[in-house]
């Protein structure tokens, strides 16, 4: 019957982890499951406590630092509109500081010129400098290559 108490403790610790997201309560919940297995095999209370302590120590000392390090890393892939920054596009309509239209990755996007004094003609190649909502902020490619 002690295995059932360990499973109840594991469930309570799992709920605590859900609300705190610290990884500590979740690892302690896993340790309580280990203690429940040890109790289910028929090992006494001292063995259950040793199993609980060993599993908890291994989780907190070994698993938690590795998990926190992985959670802190930036994702390797860029998704959504951020993936369009730096892409080349073609002006489908004249692009000014207030309006325009480009073809970007096979789709038509509203666009604005990054430099308010520029008027980018139809057919010109542009680079996407940033995305604001559904509007691409662009700069002509020939201006980039002549400035470098």
């Amino acid at each position: 019957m002690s295995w059932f108490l360990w499973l109840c403790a594991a469930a309570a610790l799992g709920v605590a982890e859900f609300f705190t997201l610290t990884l500590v309560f979740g690892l302690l919940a896993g340790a309580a499951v280990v203690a429940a297995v040890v109790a289910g095999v028929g090992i006494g209370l001292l063995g259950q406590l040793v199993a609980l302590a060993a599993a908890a120590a291994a989780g907190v000392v070994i698993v938690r630092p590795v998990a926190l390090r992985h959670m802190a890393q930036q994702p390797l892939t860029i998704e959504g509109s951020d993936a369009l920054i730096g892409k080349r596009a073609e002006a489908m309509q004249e692009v000014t500081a207030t309006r325009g239209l480009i073809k970007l990755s096979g789709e038509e996007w509203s666009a604005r010129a990054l430099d308010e004094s520029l008027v980018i003609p139809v057919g010109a190649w542009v680079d996407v400098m940033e995305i604001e909502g559904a509007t691409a902020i662009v700069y002509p490619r020939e201006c980039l290559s002549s400035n470098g």
Side-chain angles (χ1 to χ4, degrees), residues 67-86:
L68 289 175
R69 193 167 41 249
H70 282 282
M71 288 172 45
Q73 291 178 348
Q74 293 293 327
L76 296 176
T77 58
I78 300 172
E79 298 176 346
S81 60
D82 289 339
L84 299 173
I85 296 173

Side-chain angles (χ1 to χ4, degrees), residues 31-48:
V33 169
V34 169
V37 169
V38 169
V41 171
I43 297 175
L45 182 61
L46 181 61
Q48 296 169 28

Side-chain angles (χ1 to χ4, degrees), residues 11-25:
L13 288 165
V15 169
E17 177 63 37
F18 178 77
F19 288 109
T20 63
L21 300 176
T22 61
L23 295 178
V24 173
F25 290 115

